[in-house]
């Protein structure tokens, strides 16, 4: 006999009395201790749907990781410290091995960041994972999209394009043909987490197991002005900062860090993948030029490359320049669910 | 051309600068002011899926109301004051009239309780609504399921069975035949909110437009011990309190307040509807006998009937007694998504 709903929660998601929460799973609401004096609460929500954000048959362990990782990444890009999350999970049926693997991926990441599952909802339906996450950040220290200023340097962590390249290869392997690379935010038409197509190399891992840049986000609280995570694609996400901050920017394509996997590819494809491909979950941020040395030192301390790729300008619009300072023609590319 | 994702959010869900939140829609996370000193944060999440929690074609205005109402009800049953919520919404397509009506139902209820939409996620997929809600409650004052004590009176607000009766009639009208009444929590196999079948009488309204008992929950903070909202059915939900509090209870069937619509029905059906039917979103709570007069006065003040329907007992198990004190044989009935 399949597990019932309450037994399912007990067996897979309730790990006993709450550790940090005042009241965890099992009541009408969870209770969390207030944030420390001088801090505010950061809240974010994401929803992942089978066939849209990941392939049917996606590896449940990676899915458990990724569903939480994208939410941790949202907190990281605000400079917020993760504290707790809720999970709303719709499942077509109770599949115990699937649940055991999903749980493993989810809790392994949650435990690394001491972020506690405190409640949620479980129901039958098309496989859907919706996580809401709660964190804390000192008042006034949050890295908002609307805080960029003309003259700021534009920085990005890590390297870009690997996740979009994995999406592209999986599409080709699964016979989906020509794809629009650049549908970030895990939003390729069902592409993330398929372990059947493509093999598990580093690009696959970047796509399926993104590493939320939590430590970077925390350290940037007093170094950066604006920040966002690269989920829709570098150009689209920088566009969000420009729009909210009412400024423009110039990017230098030769300075954009490209994933090693992209090296053999033609430049036009590398540009599409690194500039318009999403899903890398690196942090894109702006900082005053006087903080350059401190930002570089931070990159060394975290053992995470931080590349200075452009500058914020007064006015509006985004120009991407090639090695000779000529303007590149780039499709905007950011993914939109309803276009 | 259909609206894009960002335009959709702007047009239907972003109502400009946050009113109470420090930062609302449009960044990676929302920022909420800390709860007052001495209070803690209450968090709850629910997910509603088309075809499972509501019929395909359900009235979007009622759906907007209900999706938020069930979350407000969770906070009410904790004695928590609602403050903010996030909305994750999957839509098969952009249907502007649908969105306009959904928005209207959602915000009308949100504004009544000064509960602000601060963020969320919008994506394409099977119609799914997942709301996470945040509230505050003084430390130690939350009405938890595990706080019932032997000797407590058992109380319930309003009247029971109307929502389950509406479910039953819609099932019959839509030719779904015999149903298991008692699949609460909005969880009939796609029953809530259909405005085509059955006509909109009071029972329909109870099902589609439940009234979250927020004022009652707040007033019970210092009168009640344990509380829960009646979503799975009276017996099932009381069972949750008994299990978590490690106690038993005796209910008096003649004292259980039945919805007026049930009057013409045979007693066996009335018992099933009022005892095992869910979806009424009334508050079920326990309180010490010395608080009887205060609870009755509260009911008068709120113009909301509060009925004393039984008592908590040491030990375990739940007995339902008829008018002559004989034990009724009642099926447990509470809804389980995976059974």
């Amino acid at each position: 006999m399949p597990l019932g709903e309450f037994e399912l929660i007990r067996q897979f998601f309730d790990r006993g009395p709450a550790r940090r929460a005042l009241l965890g799973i099992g009541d009408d609401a969870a209770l969390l201790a207030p944030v420390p004096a001088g801090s505010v609460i950061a809240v974010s929500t994401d929803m992942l749907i089978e066939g849209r954000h990941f392939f049917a048959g996606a590896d449940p362990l990676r899915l458990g990781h990724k569903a939480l990782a994208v939410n941790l990444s949202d907190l990281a890009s605000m400079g917020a410290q993760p504290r707790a999350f809720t999970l709303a999970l719709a499942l077509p049926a109770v599949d115990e091995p699937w649940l055991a693997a999903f749980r493993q991926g989810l809790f392994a990441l949650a435990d690394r960041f001491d972020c506690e599952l405190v409640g949620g909802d479980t129901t039958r339906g098309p496989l859907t994972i919706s996580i809401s996450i709660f964190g804390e950040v000192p008042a006034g220290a949050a890295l908002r999209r609307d805080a960029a200023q003309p003259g700021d340097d534009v920085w990005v962590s890590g390297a870009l394009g690997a996740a979009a390249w994995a999406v592209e290869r999986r599409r080709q392997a699964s016979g989906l043909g020509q794809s629009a690379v650049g549908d970030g935010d895990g939003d390729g038409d069902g592409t993330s987490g398929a372990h059947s197509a493509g093999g598990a190399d580093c690009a696959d891992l970047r796509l399926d197991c993104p590493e939320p840049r939590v430590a970077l986000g925390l350290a940037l609280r007093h170094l950066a002005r604006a920040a966002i995570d690269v989920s829709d694609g570098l150009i689209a996400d920088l566009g969000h900062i420009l729009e909210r901050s009412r400024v423009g920017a110039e990017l230098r394509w030769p300075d954009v860090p490209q994933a090693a996997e992209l090296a053999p590819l033609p430049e036009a494809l590398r540009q599409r993948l690194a500039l318009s491909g999403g899903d890398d979950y690196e942090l894109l941020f702006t900082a005053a030029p006087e903080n350059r040395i401190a930002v570089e030192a931070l990159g060394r301390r975290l053992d995470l490359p931080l590349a200075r790729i452009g500058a914020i300008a007064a006015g509006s619009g985004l120009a991407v320049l090639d090695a000779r300072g000529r303007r590149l023609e780039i499709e905007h590319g950011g993914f939109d669910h309803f276009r």
Side-chain angles (χ1 to χ4, degrees), chain A residues 56-75:
Chain A
D59 179 351
L61 189 144
R62 292 183 177 195
L63 212 47
H65 175 100
K66 181 159 183 172
L68 183 58
V70 300
N71 281 281
L72 287 166
S73 180
D74 281 325
L75 289 191

Side-chain angles (χ1 to χ4, degrees), chain A residues 139-229:
Chain A
L143 307 172
R144 301 163 55 136
R145 294 182 182 180
D146 60 7
Q149 293 183 15
D152 277 3
D153 293 322
V154 176
W155 298 80
V156 71
S157 65
L160 300 177
W165 178 229
V167 169
E168 186 79 359
R169 287 182 309 162
R170 285 185 197 174
R171 279 242 184 65
Q172 290 170 359
S174 65
L176 289 174
Q178 178 62 28
S179 80
V181 170
D183 47 354
D185 203 19
D187 303 324
D189 289 287
T191 50
S192 171
H195 50 145
S196 50
D201 65 7
C202 297
D204 283 296
L205 286 174
R206 287 297 307 161
L207 176 62
D208 297 343
C209 302
E211 175 62 23
R213 301 300 189 192
V214 174
L216 175 61
L218 295 178
L220 286 175
R221 281 174 178 172
H222 302 293
L223 286 178
R225 285 209 176 95
I228 192 170
D229 60 337

Side-chain angles (χ1 to χ4, degrees), chain A residues 63-157:
Chain A
L63 212 47
H65 175 100
K66 181 159 183 172
L68 183 58
V70 300
N71 281 281
L72 287 166
S73 180
D74 281 325
L75 289 191
S77 67
M78 298 297 287
Q81 172 76 53
R83 286 187 43 189
F85 67 105
T86 64
L87 168 68
L89 183 63
L91 298 168
V94 176
D95 175 340
E96 295 192 34
W98 189 97
L99 279 161
F102 178 83
R103 170 193 204 283
Q104 191 185 341
L106 183 79
F107 283 138
L109 188 65
D111 290 348
R112 275 182 53 204
F113 293 101
D114 199 15
C115 188
E116 187 171 14
L117 177 64
V118 295
D121 195 11
T122 316
T123 188
R124 195 189 289 268
L127 182 55
T128 305
I129 307 158
S130 183
I131 286 180
S132 289
I133 195 164
F134 319 100
E136 62 194 43
V137 57
L143 307 172
R144 301 163 55 136
R145 294 182 182 180
D146 60 7
Q149 293 183 15
D152 277 3
D153 293 322
V154 176
W155 298 80
V156 71
S157 65

